[in-house]
Amino acid sequence: MSQVEQESRTQPTVADPVPLGLAALAVTLFLFSAKNADWTDGTDAWLGYALASGGLVQLLAGMWEFRNRDVFWATAFSSYGAFWLGLGLYVVLLAGATDPADQANDLGWIMLAFAILTAYLLLLSTQINQAVLAIFVSLEATLIILFIGNLTTTETTVQIGGYIGVLAAICAWYTSAATLLNAMLRQPALNLGKPVLNNLIPSNRPR
Protein backbone atom coordinates (compact mmCIF):
# COMPACT_ATOMS: atom_id res chain seq x y z
CA MET A 1 0.00 0.00 0.00
CA SER A 2 1.37 3.42 -0.96
CA GLN A 3 1.96 6.19 1.58
CA VAL A 4 -0.82 8.26 -0.01
CA GLU A 5 -3.29 5.39 0.40
CA GLN A 6 -2.22 4.88 4.02
CA GLU A 7 -2.69 8.58 4.84
CA SER A 8 -6.10 8.68 3.15
CA ARG A 9 -7.28 5.75 5.28
CA THR A 10 -6.15 7.41 8.51
CA GLN A 11 -7.94 10.69 7.81
CA PRO A 12 -11.28 11.22 9.62
CA THR A 13 -14.21 10.37 7.40
CA VAL A 14 -16.40 13.09 8.93
CA ALA A 15 -15.70 16.59 10.20
CA ASP A 16 -15.24 17.10 13.93
CA PRO A 17 -18.78 17.12 15.43
CA VAL A 18 -17.70 18.76 18.73
CA PRO A 19 -18.52 22.38 17.73
CA LEU A 20 -21.96 21.28 16.52
CA GLY A 21 -22.72 19.19 19.60
CA LEU A 22 -21.62 21.96 21.98
CA ALA A 23 -23.60 24.58 20.07
CA ALA A 24 -26.73 22.42 20.33
CA LEU A 25 -26.12 21.96 24.06
CA ALA A 26 -25.57 25.69 24.56
CA VAL A 27 -28.72 26.82 22.74
CA THR A 28 -31.01 24.35 24.50
CA LEU A 29 -29.44 24.79 27.91
CA PHE A 30 -29.68 28.58 27.61
CA LEU A 31 -33.39 28.50 26.77
CA PHE A 32 -34.10 25.94 29.52
CA SER A 33 -32.09 27.91 32.07
CA ALA A 34 -33.67 31.22 31.12
CA LYS A 35 -37.02 29.61 31.87
CA ASN A 36 -35.78 28.29 35.23
CA ALA A 37 -34.30 31.71 36.06
CA ASP A 38 -37.76 33.20 35.44
CA TRP A 39 -36.41 35.56 32.79
CA THR A 40 -38.95 34.61 30.14
CA ASP A 41 -42.60 35.66 29.98
CA GLY A 42 -43.68 33.09 27.41
CA THR A 43 -44.55 29.40 27.72
CA ASP A 44 -41.93 26.72 27.07
CA ALA A 45 -39.74 27.96 24.21
CA TRP A 46 -37.03 25.53 25.24
CA LEU A 47 -39.22 22.49 24.64
CA GLY A 48 -39.05 22.36 20.84
CA TYR A 49 -35.30 22.88 20.96
CA ALA A 50 -34.94 20.15 23.56
CA LEU A 51 -36.40 17.73 21.01
CA ALA A 52 -34.69 19.12 17.90
CA SER A 53 -31.42 20.80 18.85
CA GLY A 54 -30.46 19.46 22.26
CA GLY A 55 -31.94 16.05 21.51
CA LEU A 56 -31.62 15.15 17.85
CA VAL A 57 -28.56 17.20 16.94
CA GLN A 58 -26.56 16.07 19.98
CA LEU A 59 -27.55 12.47 19.35
CA LEU A 60 -26.30 12.78 15.77
CA ALA A 61 -23.08 14.39 16.99
CA GLY A 62 -22.62 11.49 19.38
CA MET A 63 -23.08 8.94 16.60
CA TRP A 64 -20.54 10.75 14.43
CA GLU A 65 -18.11 10.73 17.34
CA PHE A 66 -18.47 6.97 17.53
CA ARG A 67 -17.40 6.96 13.89
CA ASN A 68 -14.42 9.14 14.85
CA ARG A 69 -13.63 6.72 17.71
CA ASP A 70 -13.78 9.49 20.32
CA VAL A 71 -15.42 7.60 23.16
CA PHE A 72 -15.67 10.60 25.51
CA TRP A 73 -17.66 12.87 23.21
CA ALA A 74 -19.60 9.95 21.76
CA THR A 75 -20.79 9.10 25.28
CA ALA A 76 -21.37 12.71 26.34
CA PHE A 77 -23.29 13.91 23.28
CA SER A 78 -25.38 10.74 23.00
CA SER A 79 -26.24 10.84 26.71
CA TYR A 80 -27.21 14.51 26.76
CA GLY A 81 -29.12 14.07 23.52
CA ALA A 82 -31.12 11.37 25.29
CA PHE A 83 -31.50 13.68 28.30
CA TRP A 84 -33.13 16.43 26.26
CA LEU A 85 -35.27 14.02 24.25
CA GLY A 86 -36.44 12.31 27.43
CA LEU A 87 -37.09 15.57 29.24
CA GLY A 88 -39.00 16.98 26.29
CA LEU A 89 -41.11 13.86 25.92
CA TYR A 90 -41.80 13.84 29.65
CA VAL A 91 -43.14 17.40 29.51
CA VAL A 92 -45.19 16.71 26.38
CA LEU A 93 -46.64 13.35 27.35
CA LEU A 94 -46.73 13.19 31.14
CA ALA A 95 -46.29 16.51 32.88
CA GLY A 96 -49.79 17.75 32.08
CA ALA A 97 -51.31 14.70 33.76
CA THR A 98 -49.59 15.31 37.10
CA ASP A 99 -49.94 18.01 39.73
CA PRO A 100 -47.07 20.54 40.13
CA ALA A 101 -45.65 18.83 43.24
CA ASP A 102 -45.42 15.43 41.53
CA GLN A 103 -43.94 17.02 38.44
CA ALA A 104 -41.28 18.80 40.52
CA ASN A 105 -40.45 15.51 42.23
CA ASP A 106 -40.07 13.77 38.87
CA LEU A 107 -37.84 16.54 37.54
CA GLY A 108 -35.72 16.41 40.67
CA TRP A 109 -34.95 12.72 40.22
CA ILE A 110 -34.23 13.23 36.51
CA MET A 111 -31.72 15.95 37.40
CA LEU A 112 -30.09 13.69 40.01
CA ALA A 113 -29.69 10.84 37.53
CA PHE A 114 -27.90 13.07 35.04
CA ALA A 115 -25.89 14.76 37.79
CA ILE A 116 -24.41 11.30 38.51
CA LEU A 117 -23.57 10.85 34.82
CA THR A 118 -22.09 14.34 34.66
CA ALA A 119 -19.95 13.69 37.75
CA TYR A 120 -17.76 11.09 36.05
CA LEU A 121 -17.77 12.97 32.73
CA LEU A 122 -16.51 15.96 34.72
CA LEU A 123 -13.67 13.86 36.13
CA LEU A 124 -12.73 12.61 32.68
CA SER A 125 -12.98 16.10 31.15
CA THR A 126 -9.86 17.01 33.13
CA GLN A 127 -8.03 15.05 30.42
CA ILE A 128 -9.24 17.32 27.61
CA ASN A 129 -8.83 21.04 28.34
CA GLN A 130 -9.89 23.76 30.75
CA ALA A 131 -12.70 25.05 28.54
CA VAL A 132 -14.38 21.64 28.46
CA LEU A 133 -13.82 21.27 32.20
CA ALA A 134 -15.60 24.60 32.78
CA ILE A 135 -18.63 23.28 30.89
CA PHE A 136 -18.90 20.18 33.03
CA VAL A 137 -18.24 21.94 36.33
CA SER A 138 -21.01 24.48 35.69
CA LEU A 139 -23.31 21.81 34.26
CA GLU A 140 -22.81 19.60 37.31
CA ALA A 141 -23.60 22.53 39.60
CA THR A 142 -26.71 23.30 37.54
CA LEU A 143 -28.07 19.76 37.79
CA ILE A 144 -27.38 19.42 41.51
CA ILE A 145 -29.05 22.74 42.33
CA LEU A 146 -32.05 21.92 40.12
CA PHE A 147 -32.29 18.53 41.84
CA ILE A 148 -32.43 20.23 45.25
CA GLY A 149 -34.74 22.99 44.08
CA ASN A 150 -37.26 20.65 42.49
CA LEU A 151 -37.31 18.08 45.30
CA THR A 152 -37.79 20.80 47.92
CA THR A 153 -40.08 22.80 45.58
CA THR A 154 -38.03 25.91 46.35
CA GLU A 155 -38.48 28.42 43.55
CA THR A 156 -35.44 30.50 44.54
CA THR A 157 -33.15 27.46 44.36
CA VAL A 158 -34.49 26.58 40.89
CA GLN A 159 -33.79 30.17 39.81
CA ILE A 160 -30.21 29.88 41.03
CA GLY A 161 -29.91 26.69 39.02
CA GLY A 162 -31.16 28.67 36.04
CA TYR A 163 -28.46 31.32 36.51
CA ILE A 164 -25.69 28.73 36.68
CA GLY A 165 -27.21 26.95 33.67
CA VAL A 166 -26.86 30.16 31.67
CA LEU A 167 -23.19 30.26 32.70
CA ALA A 168 -22.78 26.65 31.52
CA ALA A 169 -24.38 27.58 28.19
CA ILE A 170 -21.93 30.47 27.78
CA CYS A 171 -19.01 28.10 28.46
CA ALA A 172 -20.37 25.68 25.86
CA TRP A 173 -20.83 28.48 23.31
CA TYR A 174 -17.26 29.68 23.79
CA THR A 175 -15.81 26.18 23.53
CA SER A 176 -17.88 25.50 20.42
CA ALA A 177 -16.76 28.73 18.76
CA ALA A 178 -13.11 28.23 19.73
CA THR A 179 -13.04 24.62 18.53
CA LEU A 180 -14.70 25.60 15.25
CA LEU A 181 -12.38 28.54 14.59
CA ASN A 182 -9.26 26.57 15.49
CA ALA A 183 -10.32 23.79 13.13
CA MET A 184 -11.03 26.22 10.30
CA LEU A 185 -7.72 28.05 10.71
CA ARG A 186 -5.81 24.83 11.50
CA GLN A 187 -4.10 26.62 14.38
CA PRO A 188 -4.99 27.55 17.99
CA ALA A 189 -6.48 31.00 17.46
CA LEU A 190 -8.67 30.88 20.58
CA ASN A 191 -7.32 29.39 23.79
CA LEU A 192 -9.01 26.32 25.24
CA GLY A 193 -6.51 25.73 28.02
CA LYS A 194 -4.51 22.64 28.87
CA PRO A 195 -5.66 19.39 30.47
CA VAL A 196 -5.90 19.82 34.23
CA LEU A 197 -4.91 16.23 35.03
CA ASN A 198 -2.99 14.82 32.10
CA ASN A 199 -1.93 11.57 33.76
CA LEU A 200 -5.32 10.23 34.91
CA ILE A 201 -5.53 7.95 31.87
CA PRO A 202 -2.36 6.33 30.46
CA SER A 203 -1.46 7.96 27.14
CA ASN A 204 -1.29 4.62 25.31
CA ARG A 205 -5.03 4.04 25.83
CA PRO A 206 -7.73 5.48 23.55
CA ARG A 207 -9.99 8.19 24.95
Side-chain angles (χ1 to χ4, degrees), residues 109-124:
W109 286 104
I110 292 170
M111 298 303 156
L112 175 60
F114 278 88
I116 295 171
L117 166 70
T118 304
Y120 64 80
L121 290 176
L122 188 162
L123 178 62
L124 296 174

Side-chain angles (χ1 to χ4, degrees), residues 117-138:
L117 166 70
T118 304
Y120 64 80
L121 290 176
L122 188 162
L123 178 62
L124 296 174
S125 71
T126 60
Q127 303 296 290
I128 302 177
N129 57 54
Q130 292 168 328
V132 172
L133 178 61
I135 296 172
F136 283 95
V137 168
S138 53

Side-chain angles (χ1 to χ4, degrees), residues 5-46:
E5 290 174 330
Q6 289 177 340
E7 290 178 352
S8 65
R9 290 194 177 190
T10 59
Q11 292 297 318
T13 56
V14 296
D16 185 4
V18 170
L20 174 64
L22 290 178
L25 172 65
V27 168
T28 313
L29 183 59
F30 175 78
L31 293 172
F32 178 66
S33 298
K35 177 69 174 179
N36 285 329
D38 202 23
W39 289 350
T40 61
D41 295 325
T43 54
D44 283 319
W46 65 273

Side-chain angles (χ1 to χ4, degrees), residues 2-207:
S2 68
Q3 183 177 357
V4 174
E5 290 174 330
Q6 289 177 340
E7 290 178 352
S8 65
R9 290 194 177 190
T10 59
Q11 292 297 318
T13 56
V14 296
D16 185 4
V18 170
L20 174 64
L22 290 178
L25 172 65
V27 168
T28 313
L29 183 59
F30 175 78
L31 293 172
F32 178 66
S33 298
K35 177 69 174 179
N36 285 329
D38 202 23
W39 289 350
T40 61
D41 295 325
T43 54
D44 283 319
W46 65 273
L47 185 54
Y49 292 88
L51 297 172
S53 182
L56 179 60
V57 172
Q58 278 200 97
L59 187 60
L60 288 172
M63 296 301 104
W64 287 320
E65 285 291 22
F66 277 115
R67 183 66 182 86
N68 280 345
R69 298 185 179 183
D70 189 331
V71 67
F72 176 85
W73 285 117
T75 302
F77 287 144
S78 301
S79 298
Y80 291 122
F83 167 77
W84 291 115
L85 285 171
L87 187 62
L89 290 173
Y90 170 81
V91 173
V92 171
L93 300 176
L94 299 176
T98 64
D99 60 59
D102 288 341
Q103 182 178 339
N105 184 271
D106 292 343
L107 291 176
W109 286 104
I110 292 170
M111 298 303 156
L112 175 60
F114 278 88
I116 295 171
L117 166 70
T118 304
Y120 64 80
L121 290 176
L122 188 162
L123 178 62
L124 296 174
S125 71
T126 60
Q127 303 296 290
I128 302 177
N129 57 54
Q130 292 168 328
V132 172
L133 178 61
I135 296 172
F136 283 95
V137 168
S138 53
L139 184 57
E140 176 73 359
T142 300
L143 292 168
I144 290 174
I145 293 172
L146 289 179
F147 158 65
I148 296 171
N150 279 290
L151 279 192
T152 61
T153 60
T154 307
E155 185 175 336
T156 302
T157 305
V158 173
Q159 287 180 332
I160 293 172
Y163 302 150
I164 300 177
V166 169
L167 175 61
I170 292 171
C171 292
W173 263 319
Y174 172 81
T175 308
S176 172
T179 305
L180 178 59
L181 180 61
N182 294 348
M184 291 176 65
L185 297 179
R186 299 181 184 275
Q187 61 182 355
L190 289 177
N191 186 29
L192 292 168
K194 297 179 180 179
V196 177
L197 297 173
N198 55 13
N199 58 354
L200 181 64
I201 301 175
S203 58
N204 62 339
R205 294 185 182 180
R207 284 191 297 169

